[in-house]
Amino acid sequence: MPEPQGHPPENRSSLSTILLITGAMMALYYGYNHFFQHTPPPAEGVAATEELTPEQRVAREREVADRRAARIDQRQTGTLRTELFEATIDNLGGGLSELRLLGDRFRDRATGEQENLVTTQLEDYRPLRLSLPGVDIPPDVVWELTQENERSVALRWSGNGVEVHRRLGGGSGAYQIWEAVQVGNVGGRARRVRGGGGGVDSVPRSLESGGFLGLGARSTHIGQGLCRHEGEVTRKARGDLASAHGYGGTIDFAGLENQYFAQVLAPSDEAAERCGLWAQDRY
């Protein structure tokens, strides 16, 4: 999964937040199976040969932000509810905006509400946001959302000669969300397409310093990335991820974990072809 293009720093005087990001790339059904090269694809909507200056990149990010803000009145949400959790899917970008585990032990002691485990509302970094290099889904996409039943939400988008159908639902195992993606070529040319998904854990720096009365115990908010490739699990601590780490071959899963929780992405049938782990400072 290619490293995302970050937003411009707002305040360089202090480090406030760390984004720990994981991703997995896999082939999708696209009329028939393709085999893809292992080189990272260009960012969606950006030509492979295009080089942007920092000023051009900031201008483009502002343009995208303005387009996204203009569509806020089109926002719809769907809900996946099982006996163990409730998840909210947003049609503006198609990512997971809320995930709340059910049960009294998962309530926020201050508010009495179920704690939202999605740690960022930045649209680019929401869990389960779909990446389809080769399809050029616009960054300000508005998905057509249908609540199929209590456990299932469908998303649809068409444009640029393709139709994309997604279905997200509660899985058969505890705390599972299953996603099925079908991409149909309705244009007049052949395409090469890769599919990917990712997860993010965003943690304020203030929460990374832990311990009882400052005695130095490890904070429960410090996370690490993991990837199982070629039968072995590789873990990378947040401090090791300033430089991106990528792995090819047979990828069984990729994920993020802290002391209490882990979010893991795994293909259902065939192995994924790449996984990537990196961390990004937000200012």
Side-chain angles (χ1 to χ4, degrees), residues 107-113:
R107 291 187 184 277
D108 186 294
R109 294 182 180 179
T111 65
E113 298 180 351

Side-chain angles (χ1 to χ4, degrees), residues 22-245:
T22 184
M25 298 293 300
M26 61 201 75
L28 296 176
Y29 175 80
Y30 197 78
Y32 55 91
N33 289 330
H34 292 276
F35 294 95
F36 306 111
Q37 72 278 12
H38 290 293
T39 54
E44 292 180 10
V46 179
T49 58
E50 186 175 11
E51 294 290 341
L52 298 179
T53 66
E55 293 77 13
Q56 290 172 325
R57 190 174 299 283
V58 168
R60 172 165 292 183
E61 289 171 345
R62 287 175 177 167
E63 178 185 352
V64 170
D66 289 343
R67 293 205 310 265
R68 286 175 172 172
R71 78 206 204 292
I72 193 64
D73 59 344
Q74 302 179 60
R75 183 176 187 265
Q76 294 179 312
T77 60
T79 302
L80 313 178
R81 186 178 178 89
T82 72
E83 298 79 7
L84 298 174
F85 70 87
E86 183 174 279
T88 301
I89 305 295
D90 192 318
N91 72 325
L92 303 184
L96 192 68
S97 58
E98 295 183 9
L99 177 63
R100 302 181 188 274
L101 304 185
L102 304 180
D104 289 340
R105 66 192 178 114
F106 298 116
R107 291 187 184 277
D108 186 294
R109 294 182 180 179
T111 65
E113 298 180 351
Q114 307 298 138
E115 185 175 0
N116 182 15
L117 298 182
V118 176
T119 55
T120 177
Q121 289 304 305
L122 292 173
E123 196 173 296
D124 287 337
Y125 300 120
R126 286 181 179 168
L128 299 182
R129 181 179 171 89
L130 182 66
S131 173
L132 288 176
V135 172
D136 294 329
I137 297 176
D140 57 340
V141 61
V142 178
W143 292 87
E144 178 184 317
L145 185 149
T146 303
Q147 182 78 53
E148 295 186 322
N149 54 56
E150 185 181 43
R151 298 174 62 100
S152 178
V153 170
L155 296 167
R156 176 185 176 275
W157 175 82
S158 61
N160 302 330
V162 296
E163 290 183 349
V164 182
H165 296 265
R166 303 169 60 194
R167 176 172 286 106
L168 298 101
S172 59
Y175 307 111
Q176 290 183 351
I177 296 177
W178 291 359
E179 179 175 17
V181 181
Q182 182 173 338
V183 182
N185 188 355
V186 296
R189 63 183 179 89
R191 296 172 183 261
R192 295 170 64 88
V193 179
R194 302 170 82 190
V200 172
D201 185 24
S202 177
V203 181
R205 288 290 195 179
S206 59
L207 294 180
E208 289 193 322
S209 58
F212 179 68
L213 299 179
L215 296 180
R218 178 181 174 85
S219 168
T220 60
H221 294 277
I222 294 177
Q224 61 183 349
L226 61 150
C227 175
R228 180 179 169 90
H229 56 102
E230 302 295 348
E232 299 290 336
V233 175
T234 296
R235 284 180 166 84
K236 292 291 182 181
R238 188 267 297 159
D240 297 328
L241 294 174
S243 298
H245 294 261

